[in-house]
Amino acid sequence: MIESRPIDIDGRFVGVAVNSSLSWHFVAVDPVLDDLHGTHFTSAEEVARVARLVLARATTRRPH
């Protein structure tokens, strides 16, 4: 059975973690996280952790 979990970072919906029995993969809906789209992880929590790190890095690198 396929299982999915929404990934929400501080109220911002960024994608979905989908479990295909062997691993979790990330389906990005936020363009900031496009590079993570399709990446496989060991858990939905790991998807959220990495997404949070990438999002934080992207928001601190915005040009002023």
Side-chain angles (χ1 to χ4, degrees):
M1 177 161 61
I2 295 175
E3 180 181 2
S4 65
R5 295 199 188 143
I7 303 298
D8 179 288
I9 307 297
D10 299 327
R12 180 176 177 171
F13 176 65
V14 297
V16 178
V18 179
N19 184 355
S20 60
S21 76
L22 297 175
S23 66
W24 289 83
H25 71 272
F26 182 59
V27 178
V29 298
D30 190 312
V32 174
L33 300 176
D34 276 347
D35 287 345
L36 290 180
H37 183 81
T39 305
H40 291 262
F41 297 90
T42 57
S43 67
E45 292 77 16
E46 184 70 3
V47 174
R49 185 185 73 78
V50 173
R52 182 179 300 280
L53 290 172
V54 172
L55 189 60
R57 176 178 274 180
T59 57
T60 60
R61 290 188 177 193
R62 284 187 196 161
H64 298 289

